[in-house]
Amino acid sequence: MNALKKLFGGNTRQFGMIFALVALIIFFQFATAGRTLTPGNVINLFNGNSYILILAIGMVLVIIAGHIDLSVGSVAAFVGVTVALIMQDWNVPWYAGILLGLVLGALIGAWQGFWTAYVGIPAFIVTLAGMLLFRGFNQFVGKSNTIPVPADFQYIGSGYLPEVGPSTGYNNLTLLLGLLAVAFVIFGELRARRTAKALGAEVPEGWVMITKLVLVCGAILYATYLFATGRPGTSFPIPGLILAVLVLIYGFIASKTVVGRHIYAVGGNRHAAELSGVQSKKVNFLVMMNMSILAGLAGMIFVGRSTASGPFDGVGWELDAIAAVFIGGAAVTGGVGTVIGSIVGGLVMAVLNNGLQLLGVGADLTQIIKGLVLLVAVAFDVYNKSQGKRSIIGMLTQSFNRPSGGTALQPDEVTSTKETISREA
């Protein structure tokens, strides 16, 4: 037990959701007679859920800031059908269509951000109106028809890393990507350890670091093997690559930048944050705009994978994204949550859904199970917080969120500090 405490930072429950994800994978691997961890199934799992995970990245920032966005599914559908029509009717090239889709998402986000941040209407109401508004626009613009998109555009939703270099029996670019990911993890761990020593902080024993690196890098290499050994023509999917880049970018923004700290501060206590010089209106505007941009991107990826835009695209997406964020450890009251946590939560729901499908479980029972998982996960996290403990997933990503070369507060610490300032004020 002492060894486990050293390995997992003194409290094994901080890795609860990771354990749940691993346990689900192992259970379904045995229950489905080995069909879960096959190259084809893993590739399909990422392709079929990448757009939800992208939505979860934006949603976690919205929820951290103390809001919620119900319009993301409708926004994604509206952007998708608009881009499909533009490319079909105006012969716009695929790359220009993607750019126009992102711009349209930004304009929609600015619209909703204005009402939320500067007029003061709660985001729940603004985005509820947006859900109805842009669902109607989607059906009006597309005339409730299916609109195909060109093959080049489909690549962002259903493409794979190409085959390059000598014939090795594997996809060489996927192997290279996996090796780069391993190098990144090792470099980050060593850099964090060196920084901690330079600051005089306590660092774990060498065997602890080595064991953690072996476990993490082993998982990365095994996933790389699965992606690199799929059927001919497949490899690591392009939507997965887009998702990985977004996780790195938004993980850095949330944990290492002033903007990220301000989002946590506003969500923790808006009035205290304003007393500290944070421009809460600007922060709220930016998180709402960013959410719609990512919704537009998710919509285009889905349309690319589906090869066409349809009138029922985006239905229920907002619920999946919100569930992923809360399962990933975000607080309903705001101020707590991480990008990595939301991805973990999304993967839990994706693996659960995929495994139940492989077992032939009906849609009705699947919905019941997913609802119970969401309720239990959030209840467990609420219980931990009521006992004076930090969010499970927030603790999970403690080392990822620790600022390098400084002693800046962690997101949960920012929240408690802001509350203290508010009480003193």
Side-chain angles (χ1 to χ4, degrees), residues 173-186 220-221 224:
L173 284 182
T174 301
L175 294 178
L176 177 61
L177 186 64
L179 293 175
L180 288 176
V182 168
F184 178 80
V185 169
I186 295 174
I220 293 175
L221 291 175
T224 300

Side-chain angles (χ1 to χ4, degrees), residues 109-132:
W111 164 263
Q112 300 196 128
F114 167 77
W115 290 103
T116 300
Y118 294 103
V119 178
I121 301 176
F124 181 89
I125 302 299
V126 172
T127 57
L128 178 59
M131 180 175 68
L132 302 173

Side-chain angles (χ1 to χ4, degrees), residues 5 21 39 97 158 165 198 225 235 274 284 334 351 399-400:
K5 288 183 177 180
L21 177 60
S158 58
Y225 167 78
S235 60
E274 290 174 348
N284 290 330
V351 170
S399 60
F400 180 81

